[in-house]
């Protein structure tokens, strides 16, 4: 049987996906409004407030008036803004710390900087800071030697401190959809890093060569940036299994791309590629290759005739229309939002594709138009 090739009109699939996401968000919004108006939600808020006040040792006179809970009491304004922080002193003596994850969580646009109390919680193993207006990560992050996960997606971060290289035990770094323009070379000192997500920053053009030291990396996502070529350091990541460099400005692929002999998934759609190198055939574990087929004029025959089980997906995508707007920032935000929606779609699509035991041995190209 010949190679399995799938070609879709990506604009149609994306349109259907965006409609589904939009309807789901509307349902979630209505459900949230319904809960906010319901008596059950009010009771839940009051009970949570009582529990929090008891933990802090706040007397009942501060939050009870005539026997009723006053959730609008000014003395308790800080309640609800306190980050979810698990403190070590709350743990019973003798508990094995390795069996507990200490997690710091923070979200909401009211946050423009990290709380000062955070610097005292150096035992934390995970940070989850998302959807805030925070722009900088303080240098005292170097004190968090037990940190394993640093999740900083969808903020306003414009640079990473050099001190991030002190996190020798860090395994996951996600700074997707921020305002980064570069990555500090000190990141290459995080020798145990396994997952790196820099997607959606829109402005990163290169990665420092020092990242070649990250030999444990298995997942790299640099999609939705401005890379003109695959960084040299990426080609030296010997254990890399997943590489997403879609939505960039790639014009060609390096001829020695086959040195990534552990690579299983390669996402290249929405670039400016006109041909694919034959070296792709020499990658023994490559099982999924996704490209945008509109600009491709040359594809090695060996790829199409491969019998190794490689799924080669060529997405046909219509050009994205740029909305003329006086406010440039609004255009950028629209691009970010579109990239986020497309990444959600591609994640679901790839997962579905991997679950299929087989794909058609023929190619069917369908041209459809859809207006939403």
């Amino acid at each position: 049987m010949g190679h399995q090739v799938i070609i879709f009109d990506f604009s149609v699939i994306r349109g259907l996906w965006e409609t589904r996401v939009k309807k789901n968000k509307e349902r979630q919004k209505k459900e949230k409004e319904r809960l906010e108006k319901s008596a059950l939600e009010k009771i839940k808020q009051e009970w949570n407030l009582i529990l929090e006040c008891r933990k802090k040792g706040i007397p009942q006179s501060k939050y009870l008036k005539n026997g009723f809970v006053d959730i609008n009491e000014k003395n308790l304004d800080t309640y609800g803004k306190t980050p979810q922080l698990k403190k070590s002193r709350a743990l019973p003596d003798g508990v094995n710390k390795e069996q507990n994850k200490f997690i710091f969580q923070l979200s909401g646009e009211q946050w423009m900087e990290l709380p000062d109390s955070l610097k005292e919680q150096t035992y934390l193993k995970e940070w989850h800071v998302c959807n805030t207006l925070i722009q900088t990560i303080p240098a005292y992050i170097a004190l968090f030697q037990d940190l394993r996960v640093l999740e900083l997606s969808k903020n306003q971060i414009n640079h990473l401190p050099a001190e991030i290289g002190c996190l020798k035990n860090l395994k996951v770094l996600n700074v997707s959809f921020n305002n980064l323009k570069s990555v500090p070379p000190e990141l290459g000192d995080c020798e145990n890093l396994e997952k790196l997500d820099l997607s959606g920053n829109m402005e990163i053009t290169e990665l420092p060569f020092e990242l070649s030291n990250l030999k444990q990396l298995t997942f790299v996502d640099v999609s939705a940036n401005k890379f003109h070529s695959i960084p040299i350091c990426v080609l030296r990541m010997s254990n890399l299994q997943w590489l997403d460099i879609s939505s960039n400005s790639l014009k060609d692929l390096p001829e020695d791309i086959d040195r990534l002999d552990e690579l299983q998934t390669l996402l290249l759609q929405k670039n400016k590629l006109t041909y694919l190198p034959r070296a792709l055939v020499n990658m023994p574990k490559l099982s999924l290759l996704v490209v945008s087929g509109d600009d491709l004029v040359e594809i090695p025959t060996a790829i199409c005739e491969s019998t190794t089980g490689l799924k080669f997906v060529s997405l046909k995508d219509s050009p994205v229309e740029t909305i003329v707007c006086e406010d440039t920032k609004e255009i950028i935000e629209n691009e970010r939002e579109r990239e986020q929606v497309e990444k959600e779609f591609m994640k679901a699509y790839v997962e579905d594709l991997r679950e299929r035991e087989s794909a058609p041995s023929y190619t069917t190209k369908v041209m459809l138009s859809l207006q939403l």
Side-chain angles (χ1 to χ4, degrees):
M1 181 181 294
H3 181 67
Q4 300 167 353
V5 182
I6 308 172
I7 300 181
F8 290 117
D9 186 342
F10 192 33
S11 59
V12 176
I13 303 175
R14 187 179 62 194
L16 294 173
W17 177 261
E18 289 175 349
T19 302
R20 185 187 307 173
V21 171
K22 183 178 180 181
K23 289 182 179 179
N24 185 54
K25 288 182 178 180
E26 290 176 353
R27 285 195 297 268
Q28 290 178 346
K29 183 179 179 181
K30 290 181 180 179
E31 180 65 15
K32 183 179 180 181
E33 292 175 350
R34 185 186 69 79
L35 288 174
E36 289 175 350
K37 295 178 181 179
S38 69
L40 182 63
E41 181 66 17
K42 184 177 180 181
I43 293 173
K44 180 180 177 181
Q45 290 178 1
E46 291 176 353
W47 180 246
N48 288 336
L49 179 60
I50 291 173
L51 290 177
E52 186 66 19
C53 289
R54 288 178 177 176
K55 289 180 181 178
K56 294 181 178 180
I58 299 175
Q60 290 185 358
S61 59
K62 291 291 185 180
Y63 58 87
L64 288 182
K65 286 189 176 180
N66 299 323
F68 294 96
V69 178
D70 184 3
I71 60 176
N72 295 318
E73 179 63 43
K74 292 183 179 180
N75 293 333
L76 303 175
D77 281 346
T78 55
Y79 174 75
K81 294 183 180 180
T82 304
Q84 302 175 20
L85 191 58
K86 298 183 180 180
K87 299 183 178 180
S88 59
R89 64 173 177 268
L91 294 172
D93 293 337
V95 174
N96 187 349
K97 291 185 178 181
E98 292 300 320
Q99 296 178 355
N100 295 275
K101 285 188 176 181
F102 303 117
I103 302 174
F104 170 72
Q105 295 180 336
L106 193 68
S107 65
E109 294 186 354
Q110 72 270 24
W111 292 99
M112 301 186 69
E113 58 183 18
L114 293 168
D116 291 336
S117 60
L118 179 60
K119 67 178 66 174
E120 301 172 3
Q121 320 299 331
T122 56
Y123 53 81
L124 290 170
K125 292 187 177 182
E126 296 186 16
W127 284 19
H128 294 268
V129 180
C130 306
N131 295 299
T132 73
L133 298 181
I134 294 174
Q135 297 184 13
T136 59
I137 301 301
Y140 66 67
I141 194 174
L143 301 175
F144 291 75
Q145 290 298 302
D146 291 329
L147 205 60
R148 302 291 193 276
V149 176
L150 191 52
E151 167 70 49
L152 303 172
S153 63
K154 301 178 184 178
N155 298 292
Q156 301 295 320
I157 299 171
N158 50 42
H159 80 280
L160 294 175
E163 287 77 8
I164 198 171
C166 297
L167 306 179
K168 303 299 184 182
N169 292 310
L170 190 65
K171 292 183 178 296
V172 177
L173 175 60
N174 184 350
V175 281
S176 61
F177 294 95
N178 280 278
N179 296 321
L180 295 177
K181 294 184 178 180
S182 62
V183 177
E186 288 79 6
L187 182 60
D189 295 332
C190 299
E191 54 192 22
N192 289 304
L193 196 64
E194 297 176 359
K195 180 177 180 179
L196 176 62
D197 192 342
L198 299 168
S199 62
N201 281 281
M202 313 299 286
E203 297 292 333
I204 302 178
T205 60
E206 189 53 85
L207 295 179
F209 183 77
E210 286 78 1
L211 268 60
S212 300
N213 298 327
L214 303 179
K215 302 301 184 183
Q216 302 302 316
L217 267 179
T218 61
F219 179 102
V220 171
D221 189 343
V222 291
S223 60
N225 280 289
K226 291 186 177 179
F227 287 94
H228 293 279
S229 61
I230 296 180
I232 295 177
C233 64
V234 172
L235 296 175
R236 294 176 179 270
M237 297 173 182
S238 54
N239 283 313
L240 196 60
Q241 298 176 14
W242 176 294
L243 175 59
D244 187 349
I245 195 168
S246 59
S247 299
N248 277 277
S249 301
L250 300 185
K251 294 182 179 179
D252 53 38
L253 298 179
E255 294 296 334
D256 60 343
I257 192 173
D258 54 353
R259 65 188 301 164
L260 296 174
D261 52 10
E262 295 293 324
L263 196 65
Q264 299 175 13
T265 300
L266 179 57
L267 305 182
L268 299 168
Q269 71 274 11
K270 294 187 67 177
N271 277 290
K272 300 178 181 179
L273 296 172
T274 56
Y275 74 96
L276 299 177
R278 184 179 175 81
L280 290 171
V281 182
N282 302 326
M283 303 174 70
K285 296 188 178 180
L286 187 63
S287 59
L288 178 61
L289 173 63
V290 182
V291 299
S292 291
D294 289 348
D295 295 327
L296 287 173
V297 296
E298 183 179 345
I299 301 176
T301 305
I303 291 181
C304 297
E305 295 179 349
S306 173
T307 57
T308 61
L310 171 66
K311 291 181 179 179
F312 173 55
V313 182
S314 179
L315 299 174
K316 182 172 178 57
D317 194 11
S318 58
V320 178
E321 296 181 1
T322 303
I323 301 175
V324 178
C325 179
E326 295 180 359
D327 190 348
T328 305
K329 183 177 180 180
E330 182 178 343
I331 295 177
I332 294 175
E333 290 302 319
N334 288 337
E335 290 178 357
R336 289 183 190 277
E337 185 176 353
R338 183 173 62 249
E339 291 293 347
Q340 289 181 32
V341 172
E342 288 188 358
K343 284 193 73 63
E344 291 177 6
F345 162 74
M346 282 304 300
K347 181 180 179 180
Y349 174 72
V350 169
E351 289 178 355
D352 178 70
L353 192 61
R354 285 188 178 281
E355 291 176 357
R356 303 179 191 177
E357 294 182 359
S358 61
S361 57
Y362 53 85
T363 299
T364 302
K365 190 169 184 177
V366 181
M367 297 299 294
L368 297 173
S369 61
L370 178 65
Q371 287 185 336
L372 299 179

